[in-house]
Amino acid sequence: MEKFNNTEDFLAKWASGDLSESDKEAFRKREDYKLYAAILEGTDRLDVPAYNKEKNFEGVQEKKMREGKVVRLTRKWPYAVAASVALFMGYLFFFNQTVGHETGYGEKLAITLPDHSEVVLNARSKLEYQEKNWKEERTLVLEGEAYFKVNKGSRFAVDSENGRVTVLGTQFTVNSEGDIFEIRCYEGKVKVEKNGLQKIIAAGQAVRAVDGVLEDWKLVQQQPSWIQGETTFDNTPLKQVIRALEKQYGVTIKLNNVDPTQRYTGSFTHRNLETALRTVFESLEITFSIKNGNTIDLAQE
């Protein structure tokens, strides 16, 4: 059996399939086999150019002869180069994997994190996190809206382009997209940070950023209503309500002469577009017309 001493030569031969069956079987019994197998699997997903060991070997030999230097090269040299590159890129891939999830129009997605914390993504939302050292560094990046049920442990942070939400163990929602930044706390406490502003809210409280100011209010629901197919608002700017309608139904809403800063309190269903539009806009004395199935024009006197 060929001696295995963690050299690039051995690993490259294994990766290229040049080891004998007896060597492979002996290698599989080693404690570090699973780690190297995982790294090799990662390198298989990388798009790298093919390596021609014969051509490269001959090219180096020819170059050295032209320079007039006598350098002893063996056929094992290309193996070492290939193994070094494969292992380096494999380590980068294996230990820096980003896990991502995304939803489309009207979709919801339930996710279980490595520490068994739970996330539900609302429509048209994205979530990413690094698996490495997750238990020590529980940090996610969110675009859109999500409901979090966090198990106790190290600090848990949700980053977005609008700000950061930090907790230890709690239940809360974050809605961050464009100039929308809203957090609702259903259990425990969360710290909200945005542009130097900080606010701690407890269960039954909510906060949103509007024109550089954090405004808060009390919650009635025990969990986000959108999980059950209905989105609820409390004195919410109309532009945020419209964005929620667009994400749930995959439509484009044109305001025309409608003021997007006016406030709406109420809800809309996820089950019927026309019913949802009537519920929101009739209470605000805004008329709407549906064109081509997915464009809604608004008008207000």
Side-chain angles (χ1 to χ4, degrees):
M1 172 184 171
E2 182 166 345
K3 183 179 179 181
F4 176 66
N5 57 5
N6 289 341
T7 63
E8 291 91 343
D9 185 21
F10 185 98
L11 293 174
K13 288 183 178 180
W14 167 60
S16 62
D18 289 345
L19 288 182
S20 66
E21 287 302 320
S22 60
D23 288 341
K24 290 179 184 178
E25 184 62 29
F27 184 33
R28 291 190 189 101
K29 296 178 180 179
R30 295 182 58 91
E31 293 183 358
D32 49 5
Y33 171 77
K34 291 184 178 180
L35 173 62
Y36 284 114
I39 293 173
L40 181 62
E41 181 181 354
T43 62
D44 288 341
R45 304 179 197 175
L46 299 172
D47 186 15
V48 296
Y51 179 77
N52 189 324
K53 60 185 179 184
E54 295 295 336
K55 182 176 180 180
N56 278 276
F57 178 82
E58 293 171 1
V60 171
Q61 289 279 29
E62 182 180 347
K63 183 175 184 296
K64 292 299 181 182
M65 291 180 66
R66 286 201 306 268
E67 293 174 353
K69 297 180 181 179
V70 178
V71 179
R72 182 182 179 184
L73 296 174
T74 69
R75 299 274 174 170
K76 293 183 178 181
W77 179 81
Y79 279 123
V81 174
S84 297
V85 173
L87 287 173
F88 174 72
M89 299 187 74
Y91 272 112
L92 288 179
F93 183 89
F94 183 72
F95 290 111
N96 293 281
Q97 291 189 63
T98 298
V99 178
H101 301 279
E102 184 174 356
T103 54
Y105 289 107
E107 294 181 346
K108 298 179 186 66
L109 177 64
I111 302 161
T112 301
L113 299 175
D115 64 342
H116 301 294
S117 294
E118 300 174 14
V119 184
V120 181
L121 275 185
N122 203 353
R124 293 291 291 169
S125 300
K126 298 179 182 179
L127 185 74
E128 292 184 347
Y129 63 91
Q130 296 286 339
E131 282 190 310
K132 182 183 178 183
N133 297 330
W134 168 256
K135 290 185 178 180
E136 294 77 24
E137 184 78 24
R138 300 191 297 174
T139 301
L140 308 96
V141 178
L142 173 68
E143 178 183 341
E145 186 171 16
Y147 173 42
F148 297 88
K149 297 176 69 174
V150 180
N151 288 333
K152 292 183 178 180
S154 60
R155 184 194 66 176
F156 188 101
V158 180
D159 287 333
S160 72
E161 63 178 356
N162 284 302
R164 163 172 279 206
V165 179
T166 308
V167 303
L168 291 177
T170 186
Q171 296 183 28
F172 63 101
T173 60
V174 179
N175 187 6
S176 177
E177 183 179 13
D179 58 355
I180 297 171
F181 190 46
E182 181 179 287
I183 296 87
R184 303 185 182 198
C185 183
Y186 298 95
E187 182 181 289
K189 293 182 179 180
V190 303
K191 181 171 72 172
V192 181
E193 300 174 81
K194 177 178 172 61
N195 297 335
L197 299 174
Q198 291 189 11
K199 189 174 184 64
I200 296 176
I201 60 174
Q205 297 179 321
V207 62
R208 73 166 65 93
V210 179
D211 297 328
V213 177
L214 291 178
E215 54 183 47
D216 55 76
W217 72 98
K218 292 185 178 180
L219 297 174
V220 177
Q221 300 87 6
Q222 300 300 311
Q223 65 176 10
S225 60
W226 53 260
I227 291 181
Q228 304 299 327
E230 183 177 86
T231 300
T232 303
F233 306 91
D234 190 313
N235 196 35
T236 305
L238 183 60
K239 61 182 178 182
Q240 183 174 335
V241 179
I242 287 174
R243 184 61 186 135
L245 282 164
E246 291 177 327
K247 291 167 65 174
Q248 287 297 335
Y249 287 101
V251 297
T252 299
I253 299 178
K254 297 182 179 181
L255 277 72
N256 298 317
N257 63 334
V258 173
D259 178 10
T261 66
Q262 58 186 298
R263 301 298 182 106
Y264 172 73
T265 297
S267 61
F268 69 76
T269 179
H270 298 176
R271 296 175 177 84
N272 183 279
L273 173 60
E274 187 167 352
T275 300
L277 295 173
R278 289 186 183 280
T279 302
V280 174
F281 297 121
E282 286 185 357
S283 65
L284 298 173
E285 298 183 345
I286 298 173
T287 60
F288 67 88
S289 59
I290 303 175
K291 297 181 178 180
N292 301 321
N294 61 358
T295 300
I296 292 93
D297 281 339
L298 303 182
Q300 189 172 35
E301 296 182 359

